[in-house]
Amino acid sequence: MAGASMIGGLGLAARAQSAVTKPRDGAADVLDVAIVGAGLAGLTTARDLNRAGCQSFVVLEARDRVGGRTFNHDLGDGRVSEAGGQWIGPGQTAVVDLARELEVDTFPTYYAGKTVFLAGDARLAVDLHGTFGTDEKIAAKLNALARDVPSGAPWLAPNAAELDALSVGDWLAQQAIAPADRVGWDATVLLSGGATPAQMGLLHFLSMVNSAHSDYAQLDSIKDSAQETRFVGGSQILSIKMAKELDAHLRMTCPVRAITDWDGEVVSLHTDRGVVRARRVVMAIHPALCNRIDFSPNLPNERAMLQRHWPAYTPGRKTAMVYARPFWRDKGLNGHVLQAGGPVLWAYDNSPPDAAIGVINSFIQNGAVPSDPELATRMLTAIYARALGDDALTPQQYHDVDWGTCDTWTLTCVAAIPPRFWTTYGKALHPPCGRLIWSGTETADIWAGYMDGAVRAGHRSALQVLNSLGAHA
Amino acid sequence: MTRRIVIGVVVVVSVVAIVLGPQAFDYLRFERNLADAAKASEADGGAWPQRADECTLCHGHQGDSVNQVYADLAGQPAEYLAAQLHAFADGHRASPFMAPLAMTLNDGDVDRLSAHFARQTATNNDTFAPDAALSAQGKHLSGSCAACHGDRFMGRDRNPRLAGQGYDYLLAQMNAYADNTRSDPTGAMNALAAALSDVDRRAVATYLASYPVAENVEGDHESN
């Protein structure tokens, strides 16, 4: 069993107890650990430290909420719809174990029935049986290439330089994709990888396929795939429950503006609510957010360059349209809509498990839908009405999160790593800098960029901290 | 020969219709629309897939954003667009989104993307509802803008089109000039924006965001 219990299993708990809580020389205000970021990774680290007997830590969160890139819209009556990361699938055992420990149940994503495709004035309804109708021959080629690309360190692939020189688009262009099939590849690369094919690095994309057991279908489908399962109460519930356990250690609305002396024995974190001093710091935020912090002394050049070039340009915008009931199900439709050319990239049934209300969530093109909620509702319901019927014209609620503009502490969705990035900057992703330990889903060995990766990174960071403190006790 | 092909197509369509039912025609229309869209895209922007696709996610279809937050690229002077991409890449213009994206572009990419969006058609900002009083105040304050930004604020050389640009984007840029988080190489915009109050900036943004783009002017907007 992965997860926090692993710490006890490895016999680290006893050592941590003596090492971490032992009074040390120096000022009483010096903590053993400061964790930057109360998303899934940071809170998992904090929970592991707590369970290992370490009480000398704090979690610093810039926002007034926990959960990072997971967020639940409150639809009333205890029902929610997710605005950020929301699905889990086969092989994502770390987040499943965490959910089990937190007593969070799961339920299947709804896909029974026909998916609607829109292209110009054409409408087509097809039962895809839980897939997106991917070309299996192309997928098989991707699978074969992915087997040699380590998911957590793609730059170590034997042919890394050759693969990293190409975008996914460059590679697809060599596969003689029919014009009518291109829009499908545009959508699948964007939805899974976070960038359009011409901007997406092939090496990185293959590392994602590698996470999915080198089986593209396990990455980009619903059934038996990474979009298969949802959490009862929404994905943010995991962080909310962990935060409850750790309440005394959390400092909210507490952005870290500067970090000094990271190369010394005691690091100072300068926040909007004062200075925090700690012997170890876990940076549980993505590399582009690290650019918002002034480091003194400067970070090593390789790390600074990684952060500076980190692709933070795919903010993602996700909407939720709430209806009295999931009326599309009566018509044999699954509520899923794929619109060639947008503005809807993919709409899907995101109703709660009891289906007492109907929810259509959509990934939309940020600039192609008005920012004004009334105008956006009008545009989106007109599209849904074409796809699902006129009942779509009378929603009860509309929710909209553009992750690029909702606050300044997100910037971007998944990391859409471009060509030549990993072979140029990858080596600086993991190695600690002085007392700084780099965490966050981007550092995970498998399922990097996913919720599962965040939990894995959180566990690993806790072990790094405990080992490091123990070694120096 | 032609007759034989026509008969052949009719037979194929009939067979498809019998096998797949009424959906066959939906399918054929769907395929035709996708093929037509692919052809139009190639004619406009070159072979699939295109670098510009990444830009249009935020900046709207063909660079014509309907979202007030994201800048319109359509119809902007190519020289202006290229200068901005270089400025994002070298740090002269700060943006956590655009900086890493611009750093992935070489000079050829910058020139191609700038030319691509410069030749797209700008449209009126119909998704913005201007406050009449603010717009009137903005008109009074915007008199000097055309000197650099061109006739009817349509942009010129290194100076962008302001007419029909997103309201939130315009306001954010004026605020950035005022607090010097964005620098105009000539210093003019920093001085002008700093001289405006918060309300003045909102008024100017309101007036310019609702100003019709030149190709779509009906009557004399100035006399409205």
Side-chain angles (χ1 to χ4, degrees):
Chain A
M1 178 157 182
S5 59
M6 183 196 295
I7 291 172
L10 292 175
L12 281 169
R15 183 166 65 142
Q17 186 90 27
S18 59
V20 176
T21 59
K22 179 182 166 185
R24 295 167 185 273
D25 296 337
D29 68 337
V30 177
L31 296 165
D32 281 330
V33 189
I35 298 164
V36 181
L40 273 170
L43 290 171
T44 299
T45 298
R47 185 167 180 266
D48 283 3
L49 294 180
N50 197 38
R51 286 155 66 98
C54 171
Q55 291 297 310
S56 180
F57 70 90
V58 67
V59 183
L60 305 171
E61 170 55 49
R63 301 182 182 89
D64 61 359
R65 64 165 183 85
V66 297
R69 286 172 279 180
T70 61
F71 178 70
N72 290 346
H73 291 300
D74 180 0
L75 307 183
D77 297 327
R79 299 189 177 92
V80 302
S81 182
E82 302 93 332
Q86 67 170 92
W87 293 287
I88 58 172
Q92 299 187 0
T93 53
V95 71
V96 168
D97 286 343
L98 176 66
R100 204 172 289 158
E101 288 170 17
L102 295 170
E103 299 181 335
V104 173
D105 288 333
T106 61
F107 68 107
T109 303
Y110 189 86
Y111 62 81
K114 291 182 175 178
T115 294
V116 174
F117 292 85
L118 299 174
D121 62 353
R123 176 188 181 280
L124 198 62
V126 183
D127 192 339
L128 296 173
H129 305 286
T131 74
F132 288 116
T134 301
D135 183 330
E136 290 179 7
K137 284 183 185 164
I138 304 289
K141 288 186 182 180
L142 286 169
N143 296 343
L145 289 169
R147 286 188 194 105
D148 292 329
V149 179
S151 54
W155 56 92
L156 298 178
N159 51 349
E162 182 191 337
L163 296 172
D164 208 22
L166 298 176
S167 69
V168 176
D170 292 331
W171 185 82
L172 286 172
Q174 297 168 5
Q175 310 306 313
I177 308 282
D181 293 338
R182 293 172 186 170
V183 68
W185 283 102
D186 285 340
T188 190
V189 175
L190 179 59
L191 289 166
S192 289
T196 52
Q199 191 65 27
M200 184 90 215
L202 178 61
L203 183 69
H204 178 70
F205 199 62
L206 294 172
S207 77
M208 294 178 67
V209 180
N210 184 280
S211 271
H213 298 111
S214 296
D215 178 0
Y216 190 67
Q218 283 196 27
L219 188 76
D220 97 318
S221 295
I222 302 170
K223 184 174 182 292
D224 302 325
S225 185
Q227 285 66 236
E228 182 175 45
T229 302
R230 297 172 56 199
F231 292 110
V232 176
S235 51
Q236 195 190 4
I237 194 75
L238 298 173
S239 293
I240 291 169
K241 285 202 165 195
M242 285 194 283
K244 270 188 190 159
E245 291 178 5
L246 300 161
D247 189 45
H249 297 278
L250 256 59
R251 290 194 200 169
M252 307 303 294
T253 322
C254 190
V256 176
R257 306 291 183 179
I259 294 179
T260 56
D261 301 323
W262 55 265
D263 56 343
E265 287 299 311
V266 176
V267 184
S268 294
L269 299 95
H270 304 260
T271 80
D272 286 2
R273 297 174 60 189
V275 176
V276 172
R277 303 172 72 208
R279 294 182 175 86
R280 298 290 181 279
V281 179
V282 174
M283 300 295 292
I285 57 177
H286 67 66
L289 282 175
C290 294
N291 289 323
R292 304 235 148 155
I293 297 171
D294 285 329
F295 291 90
S296 179
N298 290 336
L299 291 173
N301 188 51
E302 284 185 352
R303 175 70 201 186
M305 292 296 277
L306 171 108
Q307 292 178 182
R308 188 163 165 250
H309 288 81
W310 191 265
Y313 43 77
T314 51
R317 184 175 171 196
K318 211 169 167 187
T319 62
M321 202 74 74
V322 183
Y323 295 97
R325 46 189 301 279
F327 60 88
W328 50 89
R329 296 186 185 182
D330 302 339
K331 302 174 183 179
L333 301 173
N334 59 15
H336 296 228
V337 182
L338 290 154
Q339 186 183 27
V344 169
L345 297 167
W346 178 38
Y348 56 93
D349 184 328
N350 206 48
S351 306
D354 63 3
I357 56 171
V359 180
I360 296 290
N361 263 25
S362 274
F363 290 95
I364 59 172
Q365 295 169 334
N366 303 48
V369 176
S371 34
D372 177 80
E374 201 177 309
L375 294 176
T377 301
R378 209 179 300 160
M379 178 187 276
L380 292 173
T381 53
I383 294 166
Y384 300 161
R386 271 188 60 212
L388 309 173
D390 285 346
D391 287 344
L393 295 170
T394 50
Q396 295 181 331
Q397 298 176 40
Y398 170 69
H399 302 272
D400 182 351
V401 169
D402 180 338
W403 286 91
T405 59
C406 63
D407 60 42
T408 57
W409 306 113
T410 303
L411 299 181
T412 195
C413 179
V414 296
I417 303 290
R420 290 172 288 282
F421 184 93
W422 280 138
T423 48
T424 311
Y425 308 111
K427 285 176 191 164
L429 182 65
H430 296 119
C433 294
R435 303 304 187 198
L436 305 177
I437 290 165
W438 307 108
S439 190
T441 182
E442 288 76 13
T443 66
D445 287 341
I446 55 174
W447 293 111
Y450 285 70
M451 293 188 289
D452 186 73
V455 176
R456 289 174 191 276
H459 289 316
R460 192 208 62 236
S461 303
L463 287 170
Q464 278 180 276
V465 163
L466 292 169
N467 277 322
S468 172
L469 287 170
H472 289 81
Chain B
M1 186 68 180
T2 306
R3 189 160 169 256
R4 209 183 275 173
I5 292 171
V6 171
I7 291 170
V9 169
V10 169
V11 169
V12 168
V13 169
S14 303
V15 169
V16 170
I18 291 164
V19 173
L20 298 178
Q23 270 227 320
F25 294 105
D26 292 337
Y27 180 77
L28 290 173
R29 190 160 59 146
F30 184 78
E31 288 266 289
R32 186 199 62 205
N33 285 357
L34 287 180
D36 288 350
K39 209 179 290 177
S41 175
E42 274 189 356
D44 183 41
W48 175 83
Q50 299 165 10
R51 294 297 292 268
D53 291 346
E54 189 72 19
C55 313
T56 58
L57 292 175
C58 287
H59 294 286
H61 184 59
Q62 294 180 320
D64 188 25
S65 168
V66 299
N67 185 321
Q68 301 304 315
V69 176
Y70 295 100
D72 264 2
L73 306 181
Q76 292 288 3
E79 196 180 336
Y80 168 75
L81 293 174
Q84 298 314 300
L85 288 171
H86 287 301
F88 285 126
D90 66 22
H92 282 98
R93 184 173 174 188
S95 164
F97 309 102
M98 286 305 302
L101 182 56
M103 284 190 278
T104 68
L105 305 174
N106 60 34
D107 288 349
D109 296 329
V110 169
D111 290 344
R112 275 188 293 277
L113 287 170
S114 301
H116 172 78
F117 287 110
R119 68 171 176 268
Q120 305 303 319
T121 304
T123 64
N124 291 340
N125 186 356
D126 293 331
T127 58
F128 175 61
D131 176 278
L134 270 180
S135 191
Q137 186 184 341
K139 179 180 177 180
H140 174 70
L141 292 165
S142 304
S144 62
C145 300
C148 293
H149 290 277
D151 186 34
R152 294 184 178 277
F153 316 113
M154 284 301 289
R156 190 171 62 203
D157 306 327
R158 285 205 168 201
N159 301 311
R161 166 173 68 83
L162 305 176
Q165 185 57 276
Y167 168 81
D168 294 303
Y169 174 77
L170 286 170
L171 183 59
Q173 300 319 302
M174 279 191 284
N175 289 339
Y177 280 126
D179 65 18
N180 287 315
T181 49
R182 183 177 176 185
S183 294
D184 172 6
T186 70
M189 278 308 301
N190 298 92
L192 283 166
L196 297 173
S197 69
D198 287 350
V199 177
D200 288 345
R201 284 180 221 142
R202 285 197 282 125
V204 171
T206 300
Y207 177 68
L208 294 172
S210 56
Y211 199 93
V213 302
E215 287 83 353
N216 298 307
V217 173
E218 289 179 12
D220 183 1
H221 183 75
E222 291 299 324
S223 64
N224 289 343

